[in-house]
Amino acid sequence: MLNKLNLKKQSHHIRPKIGNVFGYSSSVLFGRARSGLRALLEIIKTKEKFPFVVPSNICPSVATAAFASDVELILVPVSSLTGLPSDEDFVNQMKKIDEPGVVMPSHLYGFSQSYAKSYKYACENNWFFLENDTCATQAIYSSSSSREKKSHALLVSFGSGKVIDCGVGGAVVSNDFGLIAELADKAKTYPLYSEKAETLEDQSILVRRLLRGGEGRGPDMRHLFEKLLPYEVIGTELSFPDGKEQDLESAIDNSRKTLESRINAVREWEDALSLLGTGISFSNLSYNNPWRFVARLERDRDRVVSSLRGLGHDVGTNYPSLRCFFPDRLGVLLSEGEKIWEAGVLNFWLGTKYDKGRKKKIAEIIYRELSGD
């Protein structure tokens, strides 16, 4: 079912409000952020092999949207210490490409760094600079007079666990009303987000985790995920579901309180995991808008993860390089930074299910695993 009535309703209320929240003029809502990304890429690409430059370890859903849009995905290797490319790395990658396209620096679960040089180079050389949601969320907490636009458009997700958590949806936000109009026309053609789409997404996440293999889970078979791409593409054309606008407004209204809670949770994780001493390192990036806690173990990460999951504690190992999931399309050669980062990264939830006592218990489990007790 197409979402023409819902989109019309958005245009009179939600769309400008979302734009104003982030310091832009207007927006178009989609069933997922990746649906907005696909629509944007299809609108602005000017040729075959239109370049789309992203961090090498960005979420696989971004790659899926890029493949569905038939653009050329170009990866920038990440640092072994931060899990992100440097500002200079993005600039250097753009300089290597003959004709401009889209560049999208990202964050890592809300841990972010400045990409001022990349933005400057993009503006001076006709690149489309697509801002990532967490960087822009800072606009909510700054006065309008001090806001400085950092992009030609903004891609934002309102999915579960995000700072603005509606449980579903995403948006493209911009000051370009022509672009907004084209995006709105695209959204009209997309079916509504549904429970079926949500179930497929949950299954996809589970498959990625199972294919990863590792300690006690068999061999690494992530390369097989590429074979599932036709099913993944289904989730790149979805419009915002009926009846969720109020939930989104509520999430926006509560975002400051949510953010304060999650910053406090980051500090609790740092305090609890300090038990591990030099066996663990924390990100030195800014975390103005965190939605997971990110750390890196020096050794035995997979064994620790297996133990924690076996005891009912969910812990993530995202994200490895996209080359691990799409080797036929992207190649298989990883930089040393990518290898080191992937081998040690851990991420933990910041929600209420993981209170201070549970964080301490998880730290003690990790300590025992690394000590061999």
Side-chain angles (χ1 to χ4, degrees), residues 224-236:
L224 295 178
F225 186 76
E226 194 162 21
K227 308 302 181 185
L228 302 177
L229 193 56
Y231 302 98
E232 291 285 299
V233 166
I234 295 172
T236 63

Side-chain angles (χ1 to χ4, degrees), residues 269 308 313 354 358-366:
W269 275 117
L308 287 171
H313 303 295
Y354 288 80
R358 191 172 183 184
K359 292 182 180 78
K360 183 178 179 182
K361 184 179 294 185
I362 287 172
E364 291 170 348
I365 294 169
I366 298 174

Side-chain angles (χ1 to χ4, degrees), residues 9-10 28 40 55 70 89 92-93 97-98 122-123 132 134 156 162 164 183 185 206 228 246 257 305 317 324 353:
K9 184 164 57 178
Q10 290 176 24
V28 177
L40 176 69
D70 197 26
D89 287 339
N92 291 335
Q93 183 61 68
I97 301 171
D98 292 335
C123 290
N132 187 271
T134 295
V156 57
K162 303 296 176 66
I164 298 179
L183 287 165
D185 287 341
L206 178 60
L228 302 177
Q246 187 172 351
K257 182 178 179 181
V305 168
T317 58
C324 298
K353 289 183 178 180

Side-chain angles (χ1 to χ4, degrees), residues 46-47 50-51 94 97-102 122 125-128:
T46 57
K47 61 175 183 175
F50 184 74
M94 285 187 280
I97 301 171
D98 292 335
E99 295 186 39
V102 176
N125 293 274
N126 296 318
W127 281 79
F128 190 101

